[in-house]
Amino acid sequence: MTGTTIADAEIIYEELPTKLVHMKFKTKDGEVIIASTRPELLCACKAVIVNPKDVRYTDLIGTKVTVPISNQEVEIQAHHSAQIEFGSGAVMVCSYGDHNDVALFRELDLEEVIAIGQDGRLTEAAGAYAGLKPKQARTKIIEDLESKGFVEKIEEISHRTPVSERSRAPIEIIPMEEFYLKQKGSVEKMRELGSQIKFYPKMHQQILMNWLDSIKIDWPISRRRYYGTEIPIWYCKKCSEPYLPEPGEYYQPWYLECPAEKCPKCGFTEFVGEERTFDTWMDSSVSPLFITKFKKDEEFFKRTYPTAVRPQAKDIVRTWLYYTLLRCENLTGKKPWSEAWIMGYGLDEKGMKMSKSKGNALDPLPIIEKFGADTFRFWSASEVNHGNDFRCSEQKIESTKKFLTKLWNVSRFLSSFPIVESADLADTDKWIISELDKLVKDCKVGFDEYNFFIPAIAIREFTWNIFAAQYIEMAKARAYGIEFSEAERDGAIYTLHKVLSTLLKLLAPITPYITDFLWQTLYSDKSIHTEQQTKAESNEDLTQHTQAISDFNSKVWNEKKEKGLHLPDSIKIEIPKELEIFKKDLVAMHHLEI
Ligand SMILES: [Zn+2]
């Protein structure tokens, strides 16, 4: 017990080992076996239910059984929620045992027994077990049940147990007065708004829909936690009338004087401040309203609300995303955004979810310090397709750095060539430009869906394996003007810069620092982030030759290696017919004998 109210959205279920105790309840002429994982709640048992279709109990419906240990007589009632195949098929119904019990108590109109108090311990209602924590009481009552012959058998089972997502403490249902925000009546409306929001990736919309399907109670918004936003209410000490102060200020009623001089109802002058705080999602669910200056600047709000996109991780869809949707709709009648960008979990190296409480979280700051923010960003973009969970390891982040080093080295090489405004292009230049066109199109598809994985992977592949490995090698001799005309040389230099400047712009959203530095060093006095993204051109498509170019170059390099030749040595290899158009560059690149 952590001693506070929590919402369903904060509850997770864990399979925990527990004892399923099969107990003997005395009937008039015999006994009924009832299995339960919570024998400490026997004192709160007010009925036994059996399925109306369960022929074993047809004759017993309406008769009484005696609850072991606490000795109260309760009625056997027929109810469809009793599962024939679970245990003996007969189930004890205890007040506040679980959600199902709460519903059954209301439905069957049973008188409730509060067996667990707000301190998380058993109450006087539990007789000899009063003051014990539920787990201690369970151990003790099982001993007593056994010694008194009430136990038929005990099974060790794994039980789906509700626990707090934050503290992993088991959940107990205890009746308490709390503030609630109505949500049950808005489920349909939220489903409609949720379906209008475009989710990236689409699959994570289902998390919201599943959550909406499972909403059973209104949202409890008050908490008995110390740290939190104070609930701004004072109560009249005499008549308990609540007093709400004027909006616009931050109030701490638990230690500040009530701003009202006297109770508006009875005129009494003493007040007591509310001590509870709000659920944390009460605060964070206003973020779209806060940034659009809701109730502060009408004009600004009109122009900016609804906002465009909510970026967040998938583990808080049912809390942050849902509560924001609910509150913003309540207050404005509109959904807060038109799109939602949902990230997967960062997992540790073994594939376990990272969390502060498990201690397996990787602190990004020292890693950014060590490898640079751009390395970290490029790793994050290129590690996994958007929306999926991804494993984090320092080694993988470090290896990403090699790509940025490659980009740096390519840029340094190109910086030795002047900028050429226009030129006649060789077929080799036209080929790499058509590959560049394809890259620009691929990147646009990714950027349009906020999916940075697509451009990151495509840019890395192009830069490394096509531009640097093939084109630069093929165009190098021409760019230096060795045995080429000035016009031919300019074609190579023009193309080298066209490709690099385009690459920098494509990469700018993913690695903003290195691209801006290189851009301002090579191409402009202004930041790259003021540039328009490159649009795809429709140049002659020569990409069908890419594979043949790569195959031929590898073949020459391998043959030289096998023959013990150095790269500048000449060799006699025939150029395939398909690559005739690139002949001049290939001959110069490989020193081919013709
Ligand atoms: Zn009053």
Side-chain angles (χ1 to χ4, degrees):
M1 279 283 291
T2 51
T4 185
T5 308
I6 61 172
D8 276 5
E10 295 167 79
I11 296 173
I12 57 166
Y13 288 86
E14 283 189 347
E15 289 289 336
L16 296 178
T18 190
K19 288 182 163 64
L20 181 65
V21 187
H22 296 253
M23 296 169 285
K24 299 171 183 169
F25 282 48
K26 293 250 177 312
T27 62
K28 209 170 135 226
D29 319 304
E31 60 193 29
V32 173
I33 302 298
I34 294 176
S36 172
T37 58
R38 307 282 317 258
E40 75 277 16
L41 294 179
L42 280 171
C43 66
C45 173
K46 282 287 174 175
V48 166
I49 54 165
V50 295
N51 195 292
K53 290 182 189 145
D54 195 338
V55 291
R56 292 171 292 182
Y57 300 109
T58 314
D59 294 343
L60 290 173
I61 291 170
T63 67
K64 302 255 172 162
V65 289
T66 307
V67 179
I69 305 285
S70 54
N71 285 322
Q72 73 271 32
E73 285 205 323
V74 302
E75 193 181 313
I76 298 181
Q77 305 195 30
H79 197 273
H80 60 87
S81 71
Q83 291 170 305
I84 297 175
E85 59 284 357
F86 179 77
S88 64
V91 182
M92 66 177 200
V93 183
C94 305
S95 38
Y96 306 107
D98 59 25
H99 276 126
N100 192 38
D101 284 342
V102 173
L104 274 169
F105 257 68
R106 286 177 195 158
E107 189 182 331
L108 304 176
D109 197 21
L110 300 170
E111 191 192 333
E112 66 180 28
V113 175
I114 296 169
I116 298 173
Q118 292 189 11
D119 59 356
R121 292 173 185 272
L122 272 80
T123 63
E124 294 304 318
Y129 310 98
L132 296 178
K133 289 182 177 170
K135 215 174 158 183
Q136 298 168 328
R138 196 173 310 150
T139 310
K140 181 103 196 334
I141 207 165
I142 290 174
E143 283 170 20
D144 294 346
L145 283 162
E146 281 186 305
S147 70
K148 290 179 177 157
F150 286 120
V151 174
E152 191 216 29
K153 63 173 175 179
I154 295 176
E155 281 177 85
E156 297 289 341
I157 61 160
S158 129
H159 185 60
R160 195 167 168 268
T161 311
V163 297
S164 157
E165 185 169 30
R166 209 170 298 208
S167 66
R168 291 292 194 268
I171 306 296
E172 291 293 354
I173 301 177
I174 296 166
M176 290 216 251
E177 279 208 343
E178 296 292 355
F179 288 106
Y180 283 82
L181 188 71
K182 284 195 170 139
Q183 63 176 357
K184 283 198 292 182
S186 318
V187 170
E188 271 318 304
K189 180 85 195 162
M190 293 304 118
R191 207 189 305 279
E192 191 193 318
L193 288 186
S195 64
Q196 288 167 15
I197 294 169
K198 197 157 185 214
F199 277 70
Y200 300 95
K202 174 94 179 125
M203 63 178 176
H204 290 334
Q205 193 165 36
Q206 200 54 43
I207 303 174
L208 175 66
M209 295 306 164
N210 291 347
W211 169 239
L212 287 168
D213 285 342
S214 73
I215 286 176
K216 291 188 290 280
I217 59 169
D218 286 327
W219 173 21
I221 53 170
S222 48
R223 293 289 183 276
R224 288 152 205 272
R225 285 186 182 125
Y226 185 76
Y227 293 104
T229 299
E230 284 89 347
I231 297 176
I233 302 179
W234 279 264
Y235 303 91
C236 169
K237 263 192 182 167
K238 196 170 169 192
C239 76
S240 299
E241 176 77 0
Y243 174 81
L244 270 80
E246 289 293 312
E249 246 180 84
Y250 190 77
Y251 296 99
Q252 295 178 293
W254 56 277
Y255 92 104
L256 287 182
E257 283 287 307
C258 177
E261 292 199 344
K262 55 188 197 325
C263 170
K265 196 175 168 192
C266 76
F268 197 66
T269 54
E270 283 177 44
F271 294 87
V272 57
E274 174 63 63
E275 290 189 343
R276 283 172 292 177
T277 54
F278 277 124
D279 177 16
T280 179
W281 303 110
M282 248 330 247
D283 288 334
S284 31
S285 57
V286 299
S287 47
L289 301 176
F290 180 78
I291 58 170
T292 55
K293 304 188 181 178
F294 177 64
K295 297 266 185 194
K296 284 189 180 142
D297 183 340
E298 194 62 25
E299 204 39 49
F300 187 86
F301 177 73
K302 258 194 229 159
R303 280 189 287 124
T304 54
Y305 187 92
T307 61
V309 59
R310 154 60 68 85
Q312 63 160 74
K314 72 174 190 188
D315 52 342
I316 49 175
V317 168
R318 62 182 197 167
T319 48
W320 194 34
L321 189 141
Y322 165 69
Y323 288 136
T324 306
L325 190 62
L326 178 72
R327 272 199 88 194
C328 291
E329 197 281 331
N330 274 196
L331 291 167
T332 70
K334 286 183 196 159
K335 59 180 188 286
W337 347 263
S338 42
E339 299 173 321
W341 183 90
I342 313 289
M343 245 189 117
Y345 293 134
L347 306 173
D348 70 9
E349 287 174 79
K350 295 187 194 94
M352 300 293 286
K353 189 189 166 191
M354 281 193 185
S355 70
K356 267 184 257 165
S357 56
K358 261 191 236 154
N360 63 347
L362 211 58
D363 182 353
L365 287 178
I367 291 174
I368 289 169
E369 201 70 36
K370 198 165 162 190
F371 302 116
D374 276 350
T375 302
F376 193 79
R377 291 170 66 105
F378 193 83
W379 162 76
S380 156
S382 62
E383 184 60 24
V384 74
N385 201 358
H386 174 53
N388 291 287
D389 297 345
F390 52 97
R391 294 188 187 199
C392 307
S393 81
E394 209 176 302
Q395 211 186 344
K396 281 180 166 182
I397 297 167
E398 187 175 9
S399 69
T400 308
K401 199 176 176 178
K402 289 186 196 138
F403 168 67
L404 296 181
T405 305
K406 185 81 186 172
L407 181 74
W408 184 268
N409 290 338
V410 165
S411 304
R412 197 169 52 185
F413 168 67
L414 261 68
S415 69
S416 60
F417 299 105
I419 305 295
V420 177
E421 293 302 332
S422 66
D424 288 332
L425 303 184
D427 284 320
T428 314
D429 307 327
K430 290 177 185 164
W431 161 69
I432 195 67
I433 284 173
S434 66
E435 273 291 344
L436 185 69
D437 284 344
K438 190 167 147 251
L439 176 70
V440 170
K441 282 182 201 132
D442 288 348
C443 289
K444 187 174 187 316
V445 169
F447 284 134
D448 283 351
E449 295 173 359
Y450 309 122
N451 185 339
F452 304 103
F453 177 73
I454 295 173
I457 294 297
I459 293 167
R460 182 170 59 193
E461 169 65 19
F462 173 90
T463 307
W464 208 299
N465 295 327
I466 301 179
F467 184 50
Q470 315 294 334
Y471 177 77
I472 291 181
E473 294 305 320
M474 286 163 82
K476 204 183 261 177
R478 188 152 50 90
Y480 284 131
I482 307 163
E483 291 175 38
F484 282 91
S485 71
E486 275 185 22
E488 285 171 317
R489 182 198 65 194
D490 285 356
I493 295 173
Y494 170 85
T495 307
L496 284 166
H497 282 304
K498 181 182 170 77
V499 174
L500 179 63
S501 59
T502 304
L503 277 177
L504 292 178
K505 284 198 271 182
L506 290 173
L507 268 172
I510 303 174
T511 54
Y513 302 105
I514 187 173
T515 50
D516 195 37
F517 178 84
L518 294 171
W519 179 262
Q520 294 202 45
T521 306
L522 290 168
Y523 300 121
S524 175
D525 299 334
K526 293 202 199 87
S527 167
I528 194 169
H529 304 299
T530 62
E531 289 289 313
Q532 287 288 318
Q533 191 54 271
T534 309
K535 293 207 168 57
E537 297 169 1
S538 37
N539 297 297
E540 186 189 351
D541 186 5
L542 296 176
T543 57
Q544 74 271 22
H545 300 303
T546 306
Q547 191 59 48
I549 289 171
S550 165
D551 290 348
F552 179 73
N553 288 336
S554 299
K555 183 181 161 184
V556 178
W557 286 322
N558 283 335
E559 276 196 31
K560 281 192 177 177
K561 200 175 164 195
E562 279 164 20
K563 291 179 175 161
L565 298 171
H566 297 292
L567 286 178
D569 294 338
S570 64
I571 191 168
K572 191 167 175 59
I573 296 178
E574 204 172 323
I575 295 171
K577 208 167 170 38
E578 184 191 338
L579 302 182
E580 275 295 315
I581 52 170
F582 310 117
K583 186 174 175 183
K584 204 170 174 188
D585 282 335
L586 290 172
V587 167
M589 169 189 182
H590 294 299
H591 308 277
L592 299 177
E593 290 169 22
I594 40 170

